[in-house]
Amino acid sequence: MSSSAVGSITSEDVRKFKQGPDHLLVLVHGIGASPSDWTYSKAVLKKRLGSNFLIYASSCNSYIKTLDGIDRAGRRLADEVLSVIHKTGSLKKISFTAHSLGGLIARYTIAVLYSSDTLQKDLNDGYKTGNPENLECSSKLGSIGGLEPINFITLGTPHLGFIGKKQFPLLLGSPILEKLVPPVAAIFVGRTGRQLFLTDDEPNNPPLLLRMASDSEDLKFISSLAAFRIRILYANVSYDHLVGWRTSSIRREYELAKPSRRSVDGYMHVVNVEYCPPVLSKGPQEMIRSLQRVGWRKVDVSFHAATWPFFAHNNLHVKREWLNGAGAGVIAHVADSLKQQEVSRTLIAASL
């Protein structure tokens, strides 16, 4: 890098960079929803996280646009995220918090935006912004949209789809319904429904969710997840009629222990937090085994003591404060998890 290139940075450029937010937090809503679903959560996150975060609720997949496929929605979101990044020159880091189907859309998006040449790109960006001193803190596992990936958080997301007993609780675990519904899912929820029930397979082309459990030549689904410093799953242990506990927490049936009925101190309805390290196995690559190749922090939530426990799915992100306010403790936990990573990263940078 020539000295003339560095010298081209003006004091005004540096001032703008230092004053602007450097951490983009993208909020991704679920099926048939809109950015307004994040009104309460966005306000809480802004208050608890401060001006260093640019909190952006995506709008490109509102309402029926969520029905034409996870892949199409994922590419639209990727374009939207890139637009935000290009308009905000101060950004250095990126995180995602997604609800329900939004978690799958976000997983597709990060694969589209993933690049493995982080070090060189960060080096170039560091000189462009006049801040090459913090390059040691950048991720060495890749970048997302040219930014350092920090947190990937999902709330009640059907990571394993809806195939299997009680993965889609609305069917009441009925073997007959679980056999009859998948073939006709597209009638009710379009192309997205076929993908969720894994009936979108074609000759020489497995279902999308199976493909999203591994890296391919063009899209690195697992590598993009692994690039994040931390991945967190929030899952309802009961009363969620849309997304089962097993699919939202990426667990097998025998891994579902009896849930606690006591909240974690300071976070109402959050009943268990555990870190599950990466599972490296040479066995056959099934979806759950593949997704367990990256470590996850798993947060179990139980609204059994809430006034309206049957709204558990939307309580997770407090879709409507007057109706889903029981999830306030969950959003507080999300905010503090995000803040914890920000603080720890700052302390690491200060020690270098």
Side-chain angles (χ1 to χ4, degrees), residues 39 82 142 231 237 307:
T39 300
L82 284 178
R231 294 151 298 280
V237 304
T307 303

Side-chain angles (χ1 to χ4, degrees), residues 231-233 245 251 255 257 272-277 296-300:
R231 294 151 298 280
I232 309 177
L233 305 169
W245 185 14
R251 291 185 174 110
E255 294 175 321
N272 181 54
V273 180
E274 66 174 311
Y275 175 70
C276 299
W296 298 90
R297 181 185 296 174
K298 300 183 179 183
V299 182
D300 294 322

Side-chain angles (χ1 to χ4, degrees), residues 267-344:
Y267 304 103
M268 192 66 163
H269 303 302
V270 174
V271 297
N272 181 54
V273 180
E274 66 174 311
Y275 175 70
C276 299
V279 177
L280 303 178
S281 174
K282 295 182 180 179
Q285 291 303 307
E286 55 178 336
M287 182 162 31
I288 189 167
R289 188 192 300 271
S290 296
L291 291 174
Q292 288 178 339
R293 284 186 289 165
V294 295
W296 298 90
R297 181 185 296 174
K298 300 183 179 183
V299 182
D300 294 322
V301 179
S302 176
F303 289 106
H304 69 277
T307 303
W308 306 104
F310 295 102
F311 296 116
H313 188 67
N314 286 328
N315 287 352
L316 277 177
H317 73 316
V318 192
K319 180 175 182 177
R320 300 288 180 266
E321 185 177 2
W322 63 272
L323 182 63
N324 309 115
V330 178
I331 297 304
H333 193 275
V334 170
D336 288 348
S337 296
L338 289 161
K339 193 170 185 178
Q340 181 184 36
Q341 286 298 307
E342 190 75 358
V343 171
S344 63

Side-chain angles (χ1 to χ4, degrees), residues 6 13 32 49 76 89 110 126 146 159 161 172-173 202 210 212 221 238 254 276 292 317 320 326 335 346:
V6 177
D13 292 331
L49 296 177
R76 281 196 294 265
I110 64 173
H159 288 285
L172 306 175
E202 299 172 354
L210 287 181
M212 286 175 60
F221 293 107
S238 59
Y254 66 82
C276 299
Q292 288 178 339
H317 73 316
R320 300 288 180 266
T346 300

Side-chain angles (χ1 to χ4, degrees), residues 64-316:
I64 63 172
K65 286 186 177 181
T66 56
L67 304 184
D68 64 356
I70 294 166
D71 48 348
R72 294 172 183 171
R75 291 190 180 277
R76 281 196 294 265
L77 179 58
D79 290 339
E80 186 178 23
V81 170
L82 284 178
S83 177
V84 174
I85 293 172
H86 292 157
K87 290 177 182 177
T88 315
S90 57
L91 295 172
K92 297 282 285 181
K93 298 164 285 185
I94 188 168
S95 292
F96 287 79
T97 296
H99 177 248
S100 195
L101 176 71
L104 294 174
I105 294 173
R107 277 178 49 201
Y108 197 97
T109 295
I110 64 173
V112 173
L113 297 177
Y114 173 74
S115 173
S116 60
D117 59 352
T118 305
L119 191 57
Q120 184 61 41
K121 185 163 187 6
D122 281 357
L123 182 63
N124 292 335
D125 288 349
Y127 280 111
K128 287 178 183 177
T129 58
N131 284 270
E133 65 271 20
N134 290 330
L135 294 179
E136 295 86 351
C137 301
S138 63
S139 170
K140 302 301 187 295
L141 296 176
S143 65
I144 302 296
L147 304 181
E148 180 184 1
I150 307 296
N151 306 274
F152 189 85
I153 301 172
T154 64
L155 306 160
T157 290
H159 288 285
L160 307 177
F162 289 144
I163 292 297
K165 186 178 180 181
K166 296 184 179 179
Q167 300 284 63
F168 188 41
L170 194 62
L171 302 182
L172 306 175
S174 166
I176 296 177
L177 290 177
E178 290 181 344
K179 192 172 183 179
L180 292 176
V181 169
V184 298
I187 297 175
F188 302 99
V189 281
R191 186 165 175 266
T192 298
R194 293 180 60 223
Q195 293 172 347
L196 287 171
F197 283 98
L198 280 70
T199 59
D200 58 317
D201 56 312
E202 299 172 354
N204 301 317
N205 200 16
L208 177 65
L209 291 189
L210 287 181
R211 284 179 272 142
M212 286 175 60
S214 60
D215 287 349
S216 63
E217 289 186 9
D218 55 336
L219 292 173
K220 309 299 183 184
F221 293 107
I222 296 299
S223 293
S224 58
L225 274 174
F228 285 83
R229 286 179 176 267
I230 189 168
R231 294 151 298 280
I232 309 177
L233 305 169
Y234 287 80
N236 279 318
V237 304
S238 59
Y239 292 106
D240 191 325
H241 298 302
L242 295 178
V243 180
W245 185 14
R246 186 159 68 88
T247 187
S248 57
S249 64
I250 310 181
R251 291 185 174 110
R252 292 181 173 82
E253 192 70 35
Y254 66 82
E255 294 175 321
L256 300 178
K258 184 177 180 179
S260 171
R261 299 182 73 84
R262 184 175 180 178
S263 298
V264 173
D265 290 345
Y267 304 103
M268 192 66 163
H269 303 302
V270 174
V271 297
N272 181 54
V273 180
E274 66 174 311
Y275 175 70
C276 299
V279 177
L280 303 178
S281 174
K282 295 182 180 179
Q285 291 303 307
E286 55 178 336
M287 182 162 31
I288 189 167
R289 188 192 300 271
S290 296
L291 291 174
Q292 288 178 339
R293 284 186 289 165
V294 295
W296 298 90
R297 181 185 296 174
K298 300 183 179 183
V299 182
D300 294 322
V301 179
S302 176
F303 289 106
H304 69 277
T307 303
W308 306 104
F310 295 102
F311 296 116
H313 188 67
N314 286 328
N315 287 352
L316 277 177

Side-chain angles (χ1 to χ4, degrees), residues 46-57:
K46 279 186 175 181
K47 183 177 180 179
R48 296 177 83 107
L49 296 177
S51 60
N52 197 47
F53 278 78
L54 171 59
I55 302 173
Y56 181 81

